[in-house]
């Protein structure tokens, strides 16, 4: 493989692995803050136990996210030096703010929260987890501001072959940012909700302190259904916005080769990218037009016409992204979202019944398996967003071929890629082990937690 392919593969591997941890960090920090707020407001020490239990799992996830995130920054200078030279004046500012403000704020107040139990007043300690949660969301904001410029460049001028910032306010008000950012926040809430639901369901099946995990299940289910509904609504509006900014991405997501009015929504398709056609598909007539325009007659440009337009604007080249990958990534994301919506509704229905949720063992099995759904949706959505921009690293301004480092040795890239995969595999095993050790257990046996709730221990839940 050549330098470009290996560089893309290496960055893709590290990014997707890192993004496994980001939504849960955002969502779980918020939910832990709510649990401690309930403890401080109501004085119910059960909420304190829940905040500590789920807070411990949040810290494991946060630590993994930090480790995997650091690696990405080095790749900008090593594998993508052409990109860094071209857009460093713009890209560097939000990354610096994220590191110097948001990340340090988050890390500092997490330290206060971890070591401040019983040492600080309840309200001061509560403020520390809220500040850490807000900082986690701010961290995502600055990263997505930088990414949104790559998707929809604004507030810049080209000078001597470089993009230079002329309007920071334009970056802050980038249309793409204000659809992408809420989508990431709501996906974080969904991920955290299903994480709590899934871990609780596993413990209920193992008959670990049913009182604790039934209450956790109910709390997580409310977060999960709220998050799922919001992420679907925000994601739909984001798709309509992307159709205006990057019509090729939407056409590829639907394997729509020819301009159509009305445009069908494809459920499945046998995609032949080499010949720019589908060898059979199953579609809903007018479905895509309705999703984008709320009517069944709107025109949607096809891949072939968009390719012609891009060649006329940017010169001869292949501007068609990997259609099959984007098409099925989008459907994995949508299918996972649909299943989460069904399960979220089922969880609410179960909670409204008079019987304990632990009586519904088959449903508990389904909820424990559903733990993987938000991760599938997050990874598939991110894959579609980034690969759908191909061949641009900065949409309309710089191609990936121009952004990659030309001096990087493919052999060195291959060795480092193998090394990353090996290390990340070890980290994945360690993460699963730690989550299982600290999450699949009976809180009755956790001396650190039970001793912190005034010696009442498991009797609180019976």
């Amino acid at each position: 493989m050549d330098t470009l392919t290996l560089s893309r593969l290496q960055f893709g591997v590290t990014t997707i692995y890192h993004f496994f941890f980001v939504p849960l960090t955002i969502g779980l920090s918020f939910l832990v803050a709510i649990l401690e707020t309930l403890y401080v407001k109501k004085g119910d020490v059960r909420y304190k136990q829940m905040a500590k239990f789920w807070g411990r799992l949040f810290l494991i996830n946060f630590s993994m996210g930090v480790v995997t995130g650091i690696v990405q920054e080095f790749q900008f200078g090593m594998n993508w030096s052409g990109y860094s030279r071209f857009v460093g004046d713009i890209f560097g500012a939000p990354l610096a703010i994220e590191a110097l403000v948001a990340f340090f704020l988050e890390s500092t107040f997490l330290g206060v929260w971890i070591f401040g139990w019983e040492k600080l007043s309840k309200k001061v300690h509560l403020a520390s987890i809220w500040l850490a949660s807000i900082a986690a969301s701010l961290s995502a904001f600055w990263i997505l501001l930088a990414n949104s410029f790559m998707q929809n460049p604004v507030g810049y001028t080209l000078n001597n072959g470089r993009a230079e910032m002329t309007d920071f306010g334009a970056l802050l008000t980038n249309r793409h940012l204000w659809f992408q950012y809420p989508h990431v926040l709501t996906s974080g809430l969904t991920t955290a909700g299903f994480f709590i639901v899934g871990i609780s369901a596993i413990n209920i099946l193992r008959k670990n302190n049913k009182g604790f995990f039934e209450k956790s299940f109910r709390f997580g289910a409310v977060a999960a259904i709220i998050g799922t509904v919001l992420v679907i609504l925000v994601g739909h509006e984001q798709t309509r916005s992307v159709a205006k900014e990057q019509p090729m991405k939407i056409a590829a997501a639907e394997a729509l080769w020819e301009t159509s009015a009305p445009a069908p929504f494809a459920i499945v398709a046998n995609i032949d990218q080499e010949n720019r056609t589908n060898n059979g598909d199953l579609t809903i007539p007018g479905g895509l037009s309705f999703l984008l325009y709320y009517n069944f007659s709107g025109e949607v440009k096809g891949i072939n016409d968009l390719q012609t337009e891009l060649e006329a604007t940017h010169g001869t080249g292949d501007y068609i992204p990997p259609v099959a990958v984007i098409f099925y990534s989008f459907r994995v994301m949508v299918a996972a979202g649909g299943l989460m919506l069904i399960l979220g509704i089922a969880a609410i229905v179960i909670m409204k019944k008079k019987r304990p949720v632990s009586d519904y063992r088959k449903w508990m099995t389904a909820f424990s398996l559903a733990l993987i759904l938000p991760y599938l949706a997050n990874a598939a959505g991110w894959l579609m967003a980034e690969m759908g921009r191909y061949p641009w690293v900065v949409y309309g301004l710089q191609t990936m071929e121009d952004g990659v480092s030309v001096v990087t040795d493919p052999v060195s890239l291959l060795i480092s890629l193998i090394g990353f995969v090996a290390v990340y595999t070890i980290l994945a095993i360690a993460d699963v082990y730690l989550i299982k050790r600290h999450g699949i257990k009976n809180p009755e046996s956790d001396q650190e937690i039970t001793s912190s709730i005034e010696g009442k221990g498991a009797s609180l839940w019976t």
Side-chain angles (χ1 to χ4, degrees):
M1 289 186 283
D2 58 15
T3 298
L4 176 58
T5 302
L6 287 168
S7 295
R8 292 179 62 201
L9 186 58
Q10 186 176 101
F11 197 83
V13 168
T14 54
T15 299
I16 288 178
Y17 190 86
H18 175 63
F19 202 67
F20 282 146
F21 304 100
V22 172
L24 186 59
T25 293
I26 295 170
L28 200 52
S29 63
F30 175 70
L31 295 183
V32 170
I34 290 178
L35 286 169
E36 188 169 351
T37 301
L38 291 171
Y39 161 62
V40 172
K41 185 176 181 179
K42 295 185 176 183
D44 188 339
V45 292
R46 291 180 298 180
Y47 290 113
K48 180 179 182 181
Q49 186 178 15
M50 290 170 67
K52 281 199 165 188
F53 181 87
W54 297 109
R56 179 177 297 172
L57 300 186
F58 158 69
L59 291 172
I60 294 170
N61 181 83
F62 172 78
S63 300
M64 291 293 180
V66 171
V67 171
T68 56
I70 291 174
V71 175
Q72 291 178 284
E73 298 178 4
F74 291 100
Q75 294 186 54
F76 292 129
M78 299 176 70
N79 296 354
W80 298 94
S81 57
Y83 164 78
S84 296
R85 282 192 296 269
F86 177 71
V87 79
D89 180 70
I90 300 170
F91 198 75
L95 288 187
I97 296 172
E98 188 274 336
L100 296 175
V101 179
F103 177 72
F104 279 108
L105 186 68
E106 181 182 13
S107 302
T108 298
F109 284 103
L110 270 182
V112 172
W113 185 76
I114 294 167
F115 299 107
W117 287 104
E118 320 305 336
K119 297 180 179 66
L120 301 173
S121 70
K122 290 181 179 179
K123 291 184 178 180
V124 171
H125 191 266
L126 174 62
S128 68
I129 187 61
W130 273 113
L131 286 169
S133 178
I134 292 169
S137 297
L138 285 175
S139 180
F141 174 83
W142 293 112
I143 296 295
L144 292 174
L145 184 146
N147 181 265
S148 291
F149 178 82
M150 298 167 68
Q151 304 281 356
N152 183 41
V154 294
Y156 72 94
T157 186
L158 295 177
N159 185 20
N160 295 324
R162 297 179 65 249
E164 297 180 354
M165 186 191 305
T166 58
D167 187 356
F168 188 65
L171 268 68
L172 291 173
T173 56
N174 190 337
R175 176 184 174 87
H176 191 277
L177 172 67
W178 290 104
F179 283 104
Q180 187 181 36
Y181 182 54
H183 193 55
V184 169
L185 292 184
T186 52
S187 70
L189 179 61
T190 304
T191 303
F194 273 96
F195 180 82
I196 292 177
V197 165
I199 296 295
S200 297
I202 293 172
N203 280 287
I204 289 171
L205 289 171
R206 295 191 174 203
K207 299 182 180 179
N208 290 334
N209 198 335
K210 290 183 180 179
F212 177 90
F213 287 111
E214 284 205 12
K215 193 170 184 68
S216 290
F217 179 92
R218 292 173 181 274
F219 176 77
V222 172
I225 189 63
I226 292 174
T228 302
V229 171
L230 290 177
V231 80
I232 290 173
L233 293 176
V234 173
H236 172 64
E237 291 303 316
Q238 183 183 8
T239 300
R240 296 181 69 227
S241 177
V242 171
K244 299 176 182 178
E245 299 166 2
Q246 299 179 33
M248 179 66 85
K249 181 184 291 185
I250 298 303
E254 294 303 322
L256 185 69
W257 295 98
E258 303 299 336
T259 299
S260 302
F265 178 86
I267 299 173
V268 293
N270 182 10
I271 299 166
D272 182 358
Q273 181 152 347
E274 183 177 354
N275 295 308
R276 298 187 185 182
T277 187
N278 297 332
N279 297 322
D281 51 29
L282 177 63
T283 64
I284 300 174
L288 180 58
S289 294
F290 180 78
L291 289 174
L292 295 181
Y293 308 117
Y294 297 133
N295 65 67
F296 290 99
S297 60
E299 179 182 272
V300 181
K301 287 189 176 181
I303 296 171
N304 292 328
D305 284 344
L306 291 169
Q307 166 68 17
T308 301
E309 290 181 7
L310 287 167
E311 283 191 311
T313 304
H314 301 287
T316 303
D318 183 3
Y319 298 96
I320 302 175
V323 177
V325 174
I326 299 166
F327 180 88
Y328 284 105
S329 292
F330 182 64
R331 274 139 192 82
V332 168
M333 179 182 67
V334 171
L339 285 173
M340 286 188 288
L341 181 62
I342 293 170
L343 288 170
I345 294 172
I348 299 301
V349 171
I350 289 172
M351 287 162 50
K352 287 189 172 292
K353 295 183 179 293
K354 295 181 179 180
R355 295 166 58 188
V357 297
S358 56
D359 288 351
Y360 299 88
R361 293 188 64 82
K362 290 184 178 179
W363 278 108
M364 291 302 107
T365 300
F367 288 123
S368 64
L369 295 174
L371 186 61
I372 195 174
L373 289 177
Y375 292 96
L376 283 176
N378 292 335
W382 197 251
L383 196 65
M384 175 194 166
E386 296 305 295
M387 293 195 70
R389 193 173 64 244
Y390 179 89
W392 305 104
V393 62
V394 181
Y395 192 79
L397 297 182
Q398 186 186 51
T399 64
M400 294 180 183
E401 288 185 351
D402 293 331
V404 73
S405 176
V406 295
V407 298
T408 304
D409 178 19
V411 176
S412 299
L413 268 174
L414 181 59
I415 293 172
S416 61
L417 175 60
I418 294 171
F420 280 137
V421 171
V423 171
Y424 280 6
T425 300
I426 294 171
L427 288 174
I429 294 171
D431 181 62
V432 171
Y433 169 77
L434 290 171
I435 293 294
K436 182 178 179 180
R437 179 179 178 182
H438 295 285
I440 313 301
K441 64 188 300 184
N442 191 337
E444 294 178 19
S445 62
D446 193 325
Q447 184 62 34
E448 181 181 343
I449 291 180
T450 54
S451 64
S452 73
I453 55 173
E454 304 169 10
K456 295 182 181 180
S459 62
L460 290 166
W461 304 97
T462 56

